Structure formats: structure tokens, C-alpha cells
Amino acid sequence: MSMTSDIQVSFDTDFFNIINNELVDTSSKRRTICSSTKQPLKFEVPVATKEDVDRAVDYAAKAYPSWSKLSWDKRAEYLFKFADAIEANKDGFIKLLSLEAGKPPQAAAFEMALVIGLARQIPLLRIKEDRPIDDEERTAIVRYVPLGVGVGIIPWNFPLTLGIGKLLPALLAGNTFIWKPSPFTPHGALKLAEIGAKIFPPGVFQALSGDDSLGPWLTSHPGVAKVSFTGSVETGKRIMASCAGTLKRVTLELGGNDAAVICDDVDIPSVVNSVAFLSFVHSGQICMAIKRIYVHEKIYDQFLAEMVKQVKTFKMGDRSDPEAFFGPVQNEMQYEKVKSLYAKIGAEGWKAAVGGEIKDSEGFFLPATIIDNPPDDSEIVQHEPFGPIVPVLKWSDEEDVIRRVNDTKLGLGASVWSSDVPRAQRMAEQLEAGSIWVNTHFELAPSVPFGGHKESGIGMDWGEVGLKGWCNPQAYWVKHLKPKSANL
Ligand code: NAD
């Protein structure tokens, strides 16, 4: 269902927190840094106080009873209106994403396509009730009831997609929601909430931007029932510890070190095409990007040579370059972290098949780099770089490569590529990860959940599983006084 919307917001203004459908200023403000120029962006963003948090949580709690009593279809109607309004403001969001996340236009448009896809399809989801017992004497229903005030804590790499993927299921299931964007990328979320304020009842959808104190205030707040977090493993552990104080529900979508296993029977050009794209899209700053490429030794040299050829065609450029495939790393902290891996190429004796040398530039630019067969215990294999640098490794024995892929604390995604699909499926089914793929990777859909195993997370976002994460399961027993057919 797609309708036009006449809701328009200005992207050429200062940015405000949205509390109870009002644009709320703060006495302290800050500017974020453009990753292409290292200069502060023009528009200031608010720095929320503890009092702002208390007010937002109170308003969210006040809005909850009437919002949760609406039918699923009625709440979905609100969400469809919201989707229409987001689409009507799409061009503004694409420019804003380019500015705040450092995404070249192609990459920003890709993110907005994901956002609009989620906004249109999540409202169609429903939870199926289960009746494990339904006989003459009694009926037991497992139903799902909303939790209350939900909080979404969002990272900077896909600042809108990852937030929308929490906000919409939370609201659809009957919760109210406070969105906390990353301090690196707060603008888009605040604009989305400004649009939301023109659609949802007050207190249903609020957004607070702040500094490093804001997240802990929200996770420890007794009025918050659930925290859904996407970000690093270390922060995920801190959030879970903080939520334990009030036994909040948590969903944690954390880091990944996804492996792709390439068998010796693949069509090399087409698989190289996909694998190179999935390793370097958005400079590798994707939780589910391919981060370790295991290639069968029989085709290793040819595969690597074709990868190098392909990677050389990827144009790096800034937010104004319509032809750029990937842009800079989003922020200085991440840039320094990834840069330290480039420094290890010489120090550790790794061989760069392409890239490796950082040129002086105005922004946080790092060249696409492939490390040729480093040792399994090297940092580039063991840790998620979250930047445009990927190791390619050799394998020869199926059982051994599966062991090597699984030999990590992380378990977000993993794939096997082979022309022999049953063989690939047999291998893939042994991989320890929240998403496993055959002949693809980073394949997602709003109706299919995604999340991590092991230290890559707890719970899943999206799909019916994601919706259930915004609910308490409830066992509902009815004892029939008369024969059931006359009663239920
Ligand atoms: P991060 O953990 O540094 O920050 C994420 C968010 O948490 C930010 O909004 C930050 O302000 C907030 N935060 C930080 N400390 C907090 C605390 N103590 N309490 C409450 N909130 C706190 O992560 P990042 O650097 O923004 O993102 C990169 C990481 O995210 C990578 O590891 C990546 O793999 C992961 N990631 C995972 C997924 C997934 O779905 N599994 C998706 C994207 C990114």
C-alpha cells in the first residue's frame, strides 16, 4: 500500500530532540564531523540531559496504555502513513545521510531504499498465535503482549536502517519507543522523529540525541521495559549488565567476523563479482560484510587475481561523487582503529595483494586492501576490522575449513559458495552463525529475522521473531464450562 504524503520537513535547519511531539532545544549543543573533510557540519544537534530522559520516559509511559490498546491493523495504518511521509522526504534524507554518515550518493540512496522497504513491509507482519492445547475441556493459547516503553540504541554505520528496524516492530507490537542515535550520526533520526511527531500520538515515538552519558541513563532507567541495541560486542556487554538492574528485556545485535567459503567448483568470475562487492560495500563498515574469504587451494591464485582486478574498479570518493562506490570511514575513532591494521602489513609481514598504502587526504579515506593468505592467528583474521581491508585464505579439506570458520567467539553470518548446492548446504549447515547462506551473503528481507549466535548477540531483529522480541509471551488458559464448540 503506497500513498502520497504532503508532510514535508526542512533539512536546512538546526536539529532538535523530539519529546511528546515537540521540538525540544537543549542548553548545550554539539556539532558532528564530516568524514570527507574532517570539518564540523553546519547544523548543531542537541545534548540531552538526564531531565530530558526522565520526561521522555514519562511521556512514553503515559502514551503506552492507549497506543497498546489499538488494534494491530490500526497501528499498522499509522506506520503506513509514516512510510509515505518518509518516502516524500527521501531526497532530503539521502543528502543528510551523505553529510552525516559520509556516504557517497549511491550508498546513501542504497540505505534509503532499505529504509523504505522496511517501512513498507514491517507493518504487514503479524504474530501467529499458537494453541498447544485445544480440546473439549480447555484451551491454552500462547499470545504475545507488548512490553511498555522501548529504547533503541543505534550505531553509525546504517543510522536509519538499523533504527527503523527496531522502531517499527516495537510500535506495531504496541510499545512506545525512544530512539537514541549514535553521537556520530544523530541528524537523520531526529528528522525521522520530527516527521513522526506529525503522525503518531504524543509520546509514541520520541528521539533523544546526546553525548556518552545518554545511553547509560536510558539502559538503567526503571521506566524502560526493553532495550534493543545494535553496536559493538563490548558495548553490548555493558548494556546487558546495566539492564540487569531492572531485568529489562534486551536484544543485542553485535559485531561479526563473517566468513565466505569458496569451493573449487564455482564459476569464478560471477562469484568474485559478488564476493568483492559484499566485502567492500560501504568500506566494509557493515556488520554482515564478508570479513574472511576462504578459497579452495585449487582455484586460489586465479580467484585472488580476479578479486584484485575487481577491487581496482571500485571507485573511492566523497559524498559529492555520484560515481563513487565507497566513501571514507565514518569517524576518526574507527579510522584510527582500522589504520592500525594497515600499519601491521609491514610490521607483521602480511602481503597486500592490492591496496595497503594510505595516501594523505582531507577525509578518513582508506584504500580497498586484500591481504594474501595471512596466518589464521593474525589480527586481520581474528578480529572484525569494520573497514575496507579483507584477508583471503587457502583451504583444502572441508572439515578443516568448517573448523577454522567456527573457531571464533563471533557468529553473525557465514556463507558457502559452490556449484554443487547440496554440498554447499551440507557445509553451511555446520556453520555457527545467526544467518547462513548458500551462494549469497548479506541477503536480508524485512520478513526474515537476523541476529547473531555466540558473542554476536542475543535475540533477533526483523520478521516475526523480531516482533516477538518486542513482546512478553503470555500463557492464556480457558477452562470450558460447557462443551468447547458452544463456548469458544
Ligand atoms: P558502539 O557499540 O560503539 O556504539 C553503538 C551505540 O551504543 C551508540 O549509539 C553509542 O552511543 C551507544 N553506547 C555506547 N556506550 C554505551 C553504554 N555504555 N550504554 C548505552 N549505550 C552506549 O558501536 P559503533 O562503533 O557505533 O558500531 C560499530 C559496531 O556495531 C561494529 O562492531 C559492528 O559489527 C556492530 N554492528 C552490528 C550490527 C548487527 O546487526 N549485528 C549492525 C551494525 C553494526
Side-chain angles (χ1 to χ4, degrees), residues 132-248:
I133 299 175
D134 196 13
D135 58 27
E136 292 287 298
E137 198 190 322
R138 59 196 183 150
T139 298
I141 303 170
V142 182
R143 62 182 203 137
Y144 292 84
V145 295
L147 299 164
V149 178
V151 163
I153 299 184
I154 314 301
W156 44 260
N157 61 332
F158 277 78
L160 297 185
T161 314
L162 295 169
I164 278 279
K166 298 183 190 298
L167 166 76
L168 302 182
L171 297 190
L172 182 63
N175 304 278
T176 53
F177 188 88
I178 301 171
W179 180 323
K180 192 207 92 59
S182 164
F184 293 115
T185 51
H187 298 80
L190 297 175
K191 270 302 148 193
L192 275 179
E194 203 177 311
I195 291 177
K198 296 176 192 289
I199 294 172
F200 296 106
V204 168
F205 168 27
Q206 306 176 94
L208 294 176
S209 151
D211 58 20
D212 291 344
S213 319
L214 178 57
W217 286 334
L218 286 163
T219 56
S220 60
H221 201 293
V224 172
K226 152 116 192 186
V227 173
S228 183
F229 166 75
T230 299
S232 61
V233 175
E234 298 68 32
T235 308
K237 289 178 182 174
R238 266 181 237 129
I239 286 179
M240 194 163 170
S242 168
C243 287
T246 49
L247 285 180
K248 288 181 184 62

Side-chain angles (χ1 to χ4, degrees), residues 136-346:
E136 292 287 298
E137 198 190 322
R138 59 196 183 150
T139 298
I141 303 170
V142 182
R143 62 182 203 137
Y144 292 84
V145 295
L147 299 164
V149 178
V151 163
I153 299 184
I154 314 301
W156 44 260
N157 61 332
F158 277 78
L160 297 185
T161 314
L162 295 169
I164 278 279
K166 298 183 190 298
L167 166 76
L168 302 182
L171 297 190
L172 182 63
N175 304 278
T176 53
F177 188 88
I178 301 171
W179 180 323
K180 192 207 92 59
S182 164
F184 293 115
T185 51
H187 298 80
L190 297 175
K191 270 302 148 193
L192 275 179
E194 203 177 311
I195 291 177
K198 296 176 192 289
I199 294 172
F200 296 106
V204 168
F205 168 27
Q206 306 176 94
L208 294 176
S209 151
D211 58 20
D212 291 344
S213 319
L214 178 57
W217 286 334
L218 286 163
T219 56
S220 60
H221 201 293
V224 172
K226 152 116 192 186
V227 173
S228 183
F229 166 75
T230 299
S232 61
V233 175
E234 298 68 32
T235 308
K237 289 178 182 174
R238 266 181 237 129
I239 286 179
M240 194 163 170
S242 168
C243 287
T246 49
L247 285 180
K248 288 181 184 62
R249 276 65 183 142
V250 287
T251 295
L252 304 174
E253 301 282 355
L254 310 177
N257 196 6
D258 285 19
V261 179
I262 319 294
C263 297
D264 50 348
D265 59 357
V266 294
D267 174 46
I268 295 177
S270 76
V271 172
V272 162
N273 213 2
S274 304
V275 169
F277 175 85
L278 292 162
S279 305
F280 290 99
V281 60
H282 194 33
S283 319
Q285 300 171 109
I286 301 184
C287 54
M288 282 180 168
I290 295 176
K291 294 178 183 139
R292 296 176 287 157
I293 307 170
Y294 292 88
V295 180
H296 194 281
E297 63 178 6
K298 277 195 201 151
I299 59 164
Y300 184 88
D301 291 341
Q302 194 190 343
F303 194 95
L304 181 63
E306 300 251 355
M307 274 285 288
V308 168
K309 222 163 55 186
Q310 180 74 13
V311 165
K312 283 182 176 162
T313 68
F314 292 156
K315 184 167 183 221
M316 178 161 70
D318 71 11
R319 60 173 198 236
S320 64
D321 184 346
E323 278 159 23
F325 169 67
F326 68 95
V329 168
Q330 199 276 333
N331 58 72
E332 185 166 13
M333 178 202 70
Q334 187 63 25
Y335 176 72
E336 292 300 332
K337 221 164 102 184
V338 185
K339 214 170 100 177
S340 73
L341 281 174
Y342 286 69
K344 291 202 170 131
I345 295 173

